[in-house]
Amino acid sequence: ADEPEFAELAIKYTFELKDIIGNNNWYKLIPISYVYGTFPTYLLTIITITFSRLANLIGFTYEKMTLYVLMRSAVAVFSLSLIPGIYYFYKKIFNDNKGALVASLLVAFNWKLISHAHYVNADIFITCLLFFSFMFLFLYHDNPKSSSKMSLKQSTFYTLMTGLFFGLAMGTKITSLITLPLYWFIFLKQKDFRSFFAFNFIIFGVFMITNPFSMIFLQDFVFRIYSMSIKEAGLVFDSVDSNPFKYLLALSWISTFMLFVASFVGIFKVLKTKSNNKDFHIFLIGNLLVYLAFYSLQSRRVDRWLLPLLPIIIVYGSYGITWFVEIFKTSSAKMVQKFLITFFM
């Protein structure tokens, strides 16, 4: 599990920070391993230091396990941001309150998200960070393009936030980089070269700030990428799976089969419908295809690696469900409508 990779370092930094700053022992901040990015570790360190200082002020004694519970609680709260986030995201894309409510409920009760939100791990961080990068990228895409100051300010803000969240996802796990060309597609399709270059500057700037030692010790960082590719290519034998469709099956498993089927219906409906958001739907569907292709080439099956795809599946699955429900909207089919909603949920 990822937990010790982040939690142990956060606890170590919490109790050694005074020595690090006072004696300029900055070398103690160098990660033990470069398998994961250091953004979650630094974020958790801020949380544990704040808790530690407040506990000392009020004379509260705590154990190491207390800090683990604190960090797990922080991750759980962080993951809860997906519920209002996906409601807003769905509503902005489809302008449908009912579908947005279905999407938020599906996120709230997804068994895989609940399971991984109970401990410290990279994948729940990446899922939330990439989702919010999707959301701000859509707001950028949907923002009316004009030369007015207000429009330019909004585009600049949305570009900044998209770059910030994607950069933090990179700072959590470098494999987030595999979908970077899809972000380029949106900016270049808009012929907005200013935002394109700003986005790239921001993501790599954020990565360098949150992972400074990856740049200082570049050779170790390159070796980190190499070691990750080796591990994910099959040196860890406990999850080897030779089925070429293993990650398609994994995605249907973590999202549940019926929602997985409904998402295909939603994607089909979206692609058939004329919309100003067609490019953005291509972006979201592209994320699905890139992740599935990238991990299917590995010999291991680790279902949690597909967590970043869950919000996309839930969005299109909710769209498919609402379409099914609309078919049975007549009064004579009310029972069928209720059955379908209950069945899919």
Side-chain angles (χ1 to χ4, degrees):
D2 300 347
E3 195 165 55
E5 295 278 352
F6 301 116
E8 288 296 327
L9 276 179
I11 294 171
K12 175 189 173 186
Y13 295 158
T14 298
F15 292 110
E16 295 185 2
L17 186 65
K18 188 174 180 180
D19 174 61
I20 292 170
I21 297 174
N23 300 312
N24 290 323
N25 291 326
W26 301 106
Y27 70 91
K28 290 186 177 181
L29 291 174
I30 299 174
I32 298 171
S33 168
Y34 282 89
V35 173
Y36 298 106
T38 50
F39 165 67
T41 300
Y42 294 155
L43 178 62
L44 293 171
T45 299
I46 293 171
I47 293 170
T48 52
I49 287 175
T50 302
F51 172 80
S52 177
R53 296 297 178 267
L54 290 174
N56 290 337
L57 282 175
I58 63 175
F60 175 74
T61 57
Y62 59 90
E63 300 175 348
K64 183 177 180 179
M65 183 52 66
T66 307
L67 295 179
Y68 263 91
V69 172
L70 174 69
M71 287 185 279
R72 290 168 182 171
S73 300
V75 171
V77 171
F78 185 50
S79 67
L80 286 174
S81 65
L82 286 172
I83 299 172
I86 205 161
Y87 181 94
Y88 177 79
F89 186 54
Y90 186 99
K91 186 177 177 181
K92 290 294 288 185
I93 295 176
F94 297 112
N95 193 29
D96 175 22
N97 288 322
K98 289 182 181 178
L101 180 61
V102 170
S104 60
L105 287 172
L106 288 169
V107 164
F109 294 108
N110 179 267
W111 72 274
K112 195 67 172 175
L113 286 173
I114 292 172
S115 173
H116 288 285
H118 280 71
Y119 72 100
V120 181
N121 62 95
D123 301 285
I124 204 74
F125 276 100
I126 293 173
T127 301
C128 295
L129 293 169
L130 286 179
F131 168 74
F132 284 109
S133 76
F134 297 162
M135 187 179 77
F136 281 106
L137 185 65
F138 175 77
L139 293 174
Y140 161 82
H141 179 269
D142 196 48
N143 186 46
K145 300 299 179 287
S146 70
S147 58
S148 68
K149 286 185 178 180
M150 181 60 71
S151 179
L152 289 173
K153 281 184 179 180
Q154 288 178 332
S155 289
T156 301
F157 175 72
Y158 296 146
T159 301
L160 170 65
M161 296 305 291
T162 303
L164 174 65
F165 282 110
F166 188 75
L168 291 175
M170 281 175 54
T172 301
K173 200 171 183 182
I174 198 63
T175 47
S176 302
L177 199 60
I178 62 176
T179 56
L180 179 60
L182 294 171
Y183 288 81
W184 290 347
F185 165 74
I186 294 295
F187 288 110
L188 294 176
K189 192 73 174 178
Q190 300 284 330
K191 297 182 179 178
D192 187 353
F193 299 105
R194 174 178 169 272
S195 294
F196 171 78
F197 288 113
F199 169 75
N200 286 286
F201 177 79
I202 292 164
I203 63 171
F204 289 109
V206 170
F207 177 80
M208 286 189 287
I209 291 170
T210 56
N211 288 261
F213 294 102
S214 294
M215 299 294 98
I216 296 170
F217 303 103
L218 189 59
Q219 185 176 352
D220 292 338
F221 173 64
V222 172
F223 180 74
R224 164 201 171 188
I225 297 174
Y226 173 75
S227 65
M228 282 178 64
S229 66
I230 293 297
K231 285 184 178 182
E232 293 180 3
L235 283 184
V236 181
F237 295 109
D238 63 340
S239 53
V240 170
D241 189 335
S242 59
N243 188 336
F245 304 107
K246 55 184 174 290
Y247 278 102
L248 201 61
L249 295 171
L251 190 56
S252 70
W253 171 248
I254 67 175
S255 62
T256 69
F257 179 72
M258 291 310 301
L259 179 62
F260 186 66
V261 172
S263 70
F264 275 90
V265 174
I267 290 171
F268 178 74
K269 288 292 295 179
V270 158
L271 293 178
K272 277 190 66 178
T273 306
K274 289 184 178 180
S275 169
N276 294 329
N277 298 324
K278 186 76 75 175
D279 291 340
F280 190 77
H281 288 300
I282 292 172
F283 165 82
L284 289 179
I285 297 165
N287 272 268
L288 292 174
L289 296 176
V290 168
Y291 262 82
L292 288 171
F294 178 79
Y295 285 116
S296 293
L297 293 174
Q298 316 299 328
S299 59
R300 298 177 61 197
R301 172 175 166 173
V302 182
D303 292 4
R304 61 188 171 89
W305 287 347
L306 295 187
L307 273 178
L309 301 184
L310 263 181
I312 301 175
I313 290 293
I314 288 172
V315 164
Y316 287 123
S318 300
Y319 187 62
I321 290 170
T322 54
W323 178 75
F324 273 121
V325 171
E326 286 296 314
I327 295 175
F328 299 97
K329 202 171 183 179
T330 60
S331 56
S332 60
K334 284 288 183 182
M335 289 302 295
V336 178
Q337 186 185 54
K338 290 177 181 178
F339 170 75
L340 282 171
I341 293 173
T342 306
F343 183 71
F344 278 108
M345 293 300 290

